[in-house]
Amino acid sequence: MQGILQGMRVVEGSAFVAIPLAGMTLAQMGADVIRFDRLEGGLDAHRWPVTAQGQSLFWAGMNKGKRSVAVDMKSPRGRELVTQIVTAPGKDAGLFLTNLRVRGWMDHPTLSQFRPDLIMVTLSGDRHGRPAVDYTVNPALGFPDATGPAGSTDPVAHVLPAWDCIAGNMAVTALLAAERHRLRTGEGQDVDLTLKDVAAAMLGHLGIIGEVAVNGVDRPKSGNALYGAYGQDFVCADGRRIMVIGLTDRQWRGLVKVTGSAQAMERIARQTGLDLAKEAARWEARAMITDALTPWFAARTLPDIAPLFEAQGLTWSEFRSFARAVQEDPDLQPGENPMFAHVDQPGIGRYPVPASPITFSGAQTPPPAAAPVLGAHTEEVLADVAGLPGHEIAQLFDAGIVAGPR
Amino acid sequence: MQGILQGMRVVEGSAFVAIPLAGMTLAQMGADVIRFDRLEGGLDAHRWPVTAQGQSLFWAGMNKGKRSVAVDMKSPRGRELVTQIVTAPGKDAGLFLTNLRVRGWMDHPTLSQFRPDLIMVTLSGDRHGRPAVDYTVNPALGFPDATGPAGSTDPVAHVLPAWDCIAGNMAVTALLAAERHRLRTGEGQDVDLTLKDVAAAMLGHLGIIGEVAVNGVDRPKSGNALYGAYGQDFVCADGRRIMVIGLTDRQWRGLVKVTGSAQAMERIARQTGLDLAKEAARWEARAMITDALTPWFAARTLPDIAPLFEAQGLTWSEFRSFARAVQEDPDLQPGENPMFAHVDQPGIGRYPVPASPITFSGAQTPPPAAAPVLGAHTEEVLADVAGLPGHEIAQLFDAGIVAGPR
C-alpha cells in the first residue's frame, strides 16, 4: 500500500505556520512536496523553538517529508527555475501553495502562461493586502478579551497558533477541491484565502457573531468553565488539577453519580427553581454546582479519582504542562501510539515525531520522515522535475544561483 | 459558475463542533450535505450560544446550507432509512462523515455491504475509544499551562475550540483525499482520526515535543508576548491596547523606525551584548525592549498610532471584544466584505453570516445559506436520495419513524 496521495506533486513557496503546515499535511499523506527557499533559508529558518545550537525545532516540525530546493530568487535565472519547477508537466502536478504574495513573476496570471491548468492556492493576511499573523488576527476578533479568569479585564492570547493551523488545513482543502475540479474539467484555478477571513468566518460559524448581533451579548470571561452547560476545573487533594465535563445528559448524570452529589443537585434545583437536566440551567447554576462538588475533589487525589471516572466513562482530563504531556502521556510515545516514531533529524537528533493523524483502511500512513536540510534536493529536483541536463545544473551551482546542503 | 464541489453528496451523522464544521465546510463549497438527527434533534440541538427563545446560534452556525433529516434510529426501519441514505447510489455520493461511533448497523463493515465503495470518515475522542472534547484534550497536552501572564501558575484554557476546528478541517481533507483515490481505483475507504491524535500531532508539528525532548524545556507562560522573537501588547494613552509584531527583520526595523527607538535599541544591544537583528536576541531582551517602547505608546492614542503603523506597513492589531469586532470591524460587515451576507435564520432572525473564506477563480462561492430547521428535508431526501415512493414516505411519517419540520 502507498500513501493516499502517492503520485501527487505539490510545490510550496512559504514561511511560518499555515502554508508549511499545509504542504506537510499533504507530504504526510504521500504527496511529493517540494519547498523552495532563498539561498539563506526562508523567513522561518530560525523560528523558535530552536535547539542550543540554533537549529529550529519549529522548522523541522513543519517541513517533515518535503524536498528542499535553495534558489536565488533575486536572479532572473533563479526565478525562471522556480517557474519551471512550479509549472513542470505531470498530470498530478501543477499544484502550488504559497503565502509569499509576489506580484509579477510568481503570480497566477504569469505562472499559468506556462501551465494553463495550474492550481495556485495563496494565503494572505487580510483581503486588503495588509499583513496579519495569528498574534494580530486573534486580538482583532475578540478571543483574548473572552479568555481567562472571570472578572479580569486583561486580555489573554492563546499560545497555540490556532488560526494558522485552521487556515493551513483549509489551504489543503482548497487545493484538493480545486484538483478534483481539474480532474473533471481540465481547468486550473487561482485560489485565495486570508487568515483574517478564516478567523472571521469561524467567529460566525461558532455562533459568536449571532450572540452579539441577535442577543446583544458581549461574552465575558469565564475562566476554564465550559460555556453554556457544565464543565469545570477542580484541584484534587494532591494539588493536581482536572477538567470534568457535564455537557451531555449522559456526562452530567455520570458526574453526579460518581461524586455522589444527587442530593446536593436537588437542593440547588429547589433553591434556584432550575431544571439541571437542561444545559442552560447548569450554566446558570454553575457556581453553586462547583461549590457543591469542590469538597469531593479536595478530599481525593487524582489516583483516587481517575479509576472512578474511567469506570463511569466520564469525559475528563488532567491539566499537565507540555513536559509532563510529552514525558507521561502514552499517546505521545513511539511504541505506544503508532502515530509516533523516533526520527533522526539532521542537526538536531533523535526524538518522537508524529505522522499524519488520519488513517485510511486502503492506503498506507507513511511513517514520519525528517525535515530536509535546506537545499538537500536542489540537484535532484532540477534534474527530475525541471528536467535540466547535468552540465546546466553544475553551472547553476557554480554561478551561485542554486545551492545544495551545506 | 457553480460551487467547486457541485454534484458531490455527503451524509453527516454528527453533533457538536468538528464533524458539523466539516460538513458545513463542504456545503459552503457547493456539496449537497445531508445531516440526519434523532427526532428530537442531536446532542448539540441546544448548544450555546442560544437566543432568548432558546434557539441555538451555535447550531445555526455549524449547519448552514445543509439538508436536515429527522429519523428515529431506535426503530429498525429508521436505521434502514439512514443506511439507504448513506449508501444511496451516485458517482459522487457514498460519502459519510460521523463522530457518532456506533458499532454494528452504522459502522463501515456493515454499511459497505450496501455500497462497497463507501467512504466513511469517523472522528472519535482518543484511539482507545475514550471520549474526549476540546475542553479535555487541551489541558491534557499542556496548552493551558503555557497560557496567561508570566509567573502565574493557574492554567488558562482557550475559548476557541481550536482542536475541533482543526480536526473538522482535517476530516474534510480526509474525505477529499479518499474520494480522489476512489475516482482512480473505485475503492471505498474506512477513514479514522481522533481529536487527541490531531492535537498530539500538532504538538509535534509546532516543535513543542522537540522542545521538551531535545531541549529539556517546559515552556513557561509569557503573557501575550510572541514566542521566540519580539511581539508585545501595549496600552495606549486612550487605554486602548494593541499588539505589535517584530518577528521578521522588516517588521522589527519598521517598529524601531516608527517609534523612533533606534538609540534605545542600540543602548540595549550595548548593555546586553546582544545583536537585536537576531530573533532570539530580541526574545532574550524582550523585557528591556518593552520597557523602552512603553512610554511611546503611553504618550499616544490609538488614532495617533494607527496611521503611523499603517504607513509603515507594520503588522499590528488592536485588542477588541467580540462585540466591538462584530460591530466595528469592516471585515465583518455584509456590504464591506463579500464573504458576509445578512441571512434570515428561521426561529432566530436576520444577522450577518459568513460564506466560505476560500475563493476559486473558476468556481462560485455559494452565498451563505441558513441552517435548516430540524427535519426540513426529511420528505425530499426520502424521495430523491432514498428513492422511496410517496405512499411509503407518508406511512413513515404516520408511524412516527421520521419527522418533518415542526
Side-chain angles (χ1 to χ4, degrees):
Chain A
M1 286 202 294
Q2 301 181 311
I4 194 116
L5 297 181
Q6 191 77 29
M8 174 184 277
R9 189 172 70 230
V10 179
V11 181
E12 179 194 317
S14 69
F16 299 118
V17 187
I19 294 298
L21 177 65
M24 199 272 295
T25 299
L26 294 162
Q28 290 206 320
M29 295 195 295
D32 172 19
V33 178
I34 300 166
R35 173 169 167 165
F36 63 82
D37 280 292
R38 311 178 294 191
L39 295 177
E40 70 271 31
L43 289 170
D44 54 354
H46 308 291
R47 186 77 188 96
W48 271 47
V50 296
T51 64
Q53 292 74 37
Q55 297 288 318
S56 174
L57 291 156
F58 173 87
W59 206 91
M62 284 294 165
N63 294 288
K64 294 189 289 286
K66 298 178 189 173
R67 295 202 281 172
S68 170
V69 172
V71 53
D72 176 11
M73 283 171 276
K74 289 186 191 140
S75 112
R77 183 66 183 121
R79 296 177 172 203
E80 208 172 271
L81 292 171
V82 170
T83 302
Q84 283 179 276
I85 294 167
V86 169
T87 62
K91 185 171 81 65
D92 300 328
L95 301 167
F96 182 34
L97 285 169
T98 189
N99 66 330
L100 313 172
R101 186 177 272 288
V102 179
R103 301 287 178 198
W105 73 276
M106 214 180 83
D107 63 17
H108 189 268
T110 309
L111 291 172
S112 64
Q113 288 170 17
F114 300 91
R115 178 160 180 158
D117 70 347
L118 177 71
I119 291 167
M120 175 166 172
V121 177
T122 305
L123 175 72
S124 44
D126 75 10
R127 56 172 57 237
H128 313 287
R130 281 194 295 251
V133 296
D134 204 287
Y135 287 100
T136 59
V137 160
N138 197 44
L141 291 178
F143 286 89
D145 260 47
T147 303
S152 161
T153 55
D154 290 334
V156 179
H158 56 212
V159 293
L160 172 72
W163 302 115
D164 275 321
C165 296
I166 297 166
N169 278 291
M170 295 200 84
V172 173
T173 290
L175 183 132
L176 292 174
E179 199 234 2
R180 180 181 189 276
H181 190 257
R182 189 176 71 175
L183 284 170
R184 287 146 196 261
T185 63
E187 287 169 19
Q189 201 88 226
D190 190 10
V191 190
D192 276 298
L193 69 169
T194 77
L195 193 66
K196 178 94 181 272
D197 273 357
V198 165
M202 198 63 79
L203 200 71
H205 302 334
L206 292 166
I208 300 172
I209 291 176
E211 194 169 28
V212 173
V214 177
N215 292 359
V217 167
D218 202 3
R219 191 185 300 187
K221 292 171 187 282
S222 56
N224 295 332
L226 182 150
Y227 186 61
Y230 191 75
Q232 195 62 56
D233 53 333
F234 291 93
V235 178
C236 308
D238 48 3
R240 291 162 81 175
R241 185 187 294 254
I242 67 176
M243 184 77 196
V244 61
I245 305 297
L247 171 55
T248 64
D249 283 349
R250 199 180 148 280
Q251 289 166 340
W252 172 245
R253 282 187 276 105
L255 175 61
V256 171
K257 186 176 168 194
V258 173
T259 56
S261 58
Q263 288 189 333
M265 297 309 152
E266 277 165 32
R267 207 160 43 237
I268 292 169
R270 268 200 313 277
Q271 281 174 21
T272 58
L274 291 166
D275 173 6
L276 296 185
K278 298 212 155 94
E279 290 167 47
R282 297 199 286 277
W283 172 247
E284 204 175 318
R286 69 189 181 282
M288 296 174 79
I289 295 171
T290 299
D291 286 346
L293 294 177
T294 297
W296 189 89
F297 288 92
R300 286 165 180 82
T301 65
L302 183 58
D304 296 334
I305 292 170
L308 304 176
F309 280 14
E310 286 298 297
Q312 187 66 34
L314 289 193
T315 305
W316 71 284
S317 173
E318 188 186 358
F319 283 77
R320 291 189 282 225
S321 69
F322 287 141
R324 282 196 52 218
V326 170
Q327 288 156 1
E328 298 175 16
D329 191 329
D331 290 345
L332 273 72
Q333 311 309 322
E336 299 259 7
N337 183 343
M339 186 174 79
F340 281 98
H342 284 108
V343 171
D344 280 309
Q345 178 63 46
I348 294 182
R350 192 172 163 82
Y351 62 101
V353 169
S356 172
I358 309 172
T359 61
F360 297 90
S361 61
Q364 192 210 7
T365 301
V373 171
L374 180 67
H377 308 91
T378 302
E379 187 173 350
E380 72 176 49
V381 169
L382 291 179
D384 302 347
V385 178
L388 301 189
H391 68 273
E392 204 175 323
I393 295 173
Q395 285 168 354
L396 289 165
F397 273 92
D398 290 347
I401 290 168
V402 301
R406 280 171 227 184
Chain B
M1 287 200 294
Q2 301 181 313
I4 192 114
L5 298 180
Q6 191 78 30
M8 174 184 276
R9 188 172 69 229
V10 178
V11 181
E12 178 195 317
S14 70
F16 299 118
V17 187
I19 294 298
L21 177 65
M24 199 272 295
T25 298
L26 293 162
Q28 290 205 319
M29 296 195 294
D32 172 19
V33 178
I34 300 166
R35 173 169 167 164
F36 62 83
D37 280 292
R38 311 178 293 191
L39 295 176
E40 68 272 32
L43 289 169
D44 54 354
H46 308 293
R47 186 77 188 96
W48 271 45
V50 297
T51 64
Q53 292 75 39
Q55 297 288 318
S56 174
L57 290 156
F58 172 88
W59 206 92
M62 284 293 163
N63 295 288
K64 294 189 289 287
K66 297 178 191 173
R67 297 202 279 174
S68 170
V69 171
V71 53
D72 177 10
M73 282 171 275
K74 288 185 191 140
S75 112
R77 182 68 183 118
R79 296 177 171 203
E80 207 173 87
L81 292 172
V82 169
T83 302
Q84 283 179 275
I85 293 167
V86 169
T87 63
K91 186 170 81 66
D92 301 327
L95 301 167
F96 181 34
L97 286 169
T98 189
N99 66 331
L100 314 171
R101 187 177 272 287
V102 179
R103 301 288 176 195
W105 74 275
M106 214 179 84
D107 62 16
H108 188 268
T110 310
L111 291 171
S112 64
Q113 289 170 17
F114 300 93
R115 179 162 179 158
D117 70 346
L118 177 70
I119 290 167
M120 175 164 172
V121 177
T122 305
L123 175 71
S124 43
D126 75 11
R127 56 172 56 237
H128 314 287
R130 281 194 296 253
V133 297
D134 205 289
Y135 287 100
T136 59
V137 160
N138 197 46
L141 291 178
F143 287 89
D145 260 45
T147 304
S152 161
T153 55
D154 290 335
V156 179
H158 57 212
V159 293
L160 172 72
W163 302 115
D164 277 321
C165 295
I166 296 166
N169 277 291
M170 294 200 84
V172 173
T173 289
L175 183 133
L176 292 174
E179 198 234 2
R180 180 180 187 277
H181 191 257
R182 188 176 71 177
L183 283 169
R184 286 147 197 260
T185 62
E187 288 169 19
Q189 200 88 225
D190 190 10
V191 189
D192 276 298
L193 69 168
T194 76
L195 193 66
K196 177 93 182 272
D197 273 356
V198 165
M202 198 63 80
L203 200 70
H205 302 335
L206 292 166
I208 299 171
I209 291 176
E211 193 170 29
V212 174
V214 178
N215 292 358
V217 167
D218 203 4
R219 190 185 300 188
K221 294 171 185 280
S222 56
N224 295 332
L226 182 149
Y227 185 61
Y230 192 74
Q232 195 62 57
D233 54 332
F234 291 93
V235 178
C236 308
D238 49 2
R240 290 162 81 175
R241 185 186 295 252
I242 67 176
M243 183 78 195
V244 61
I245 305 297
L247 172 54
T248 65
D249 284 350
R250 200 180 147 281
Q251 288 165 340
W252 172 245
R253 283 187 276 107
L255 175 60
V256 171
K257 186 176 168 191
V258 173
T259 55
S261 58
Q263 288 188 333
M265 296 309 152
E266 278 165 33
R267 207 160 41 237
I268 293 170
R270 267 198 314 277
Q271 281 175 21
T272 58
L274 292 167
D275 174 7
L276 296 185
K278 298 212 155 93
E279 289 167 47
R282 297 199 287 276
W283 172 248
E284 205 175 317
R286 68 189 183 282
M288 295 174 79
I289 296 171
T290 299
D291 285 347
L293 294 177
T294 297
W296 190 89
F297 288 91
R300 287 165 180 81
T301 64
L302 183 58
D304 296 333
I305 292 170
L308 304 176
F309 279 14
E310 287 298 297
Q312 187 65 35
L314 289 193
T315 305
W316 71 284
S317 172
E318 189 186 356
F319 282 78
R320 293 188 281 225
S321 69
F322 288 141
R324 282 196 52 218
V326 170
Q327 288 156 3
E328 297 175 17
D329 191 329
D331 290 344
L332 273 73
Q333 311 310 322
E336 299 258 8
N337 182 344
M339 186 175 77
F340 281 99
H342 284 108
V343 170
D344 280 309
Q345 178 62 46
I348 294 182
R350 192 173 165 79
Y351 62 102
V353 169
S356 172
I358 308 171
T359 61
F360 297 89
S361 60
Q364 192 210 8
T365 300
V373 170
L374 180 68
H377 308 92
T378 303
E379 187 172 349
E380 73 177 47
V381 169
L382 290 178
D384 301 347
V385 178
L388 301 188
H391 68 272
E392 204 176 320
I393 295 173
Q395 284 168 354
L396 289 165
F397 273 92
D398 290 347
I401 292 168
V402 302
R406 280 170 228 185

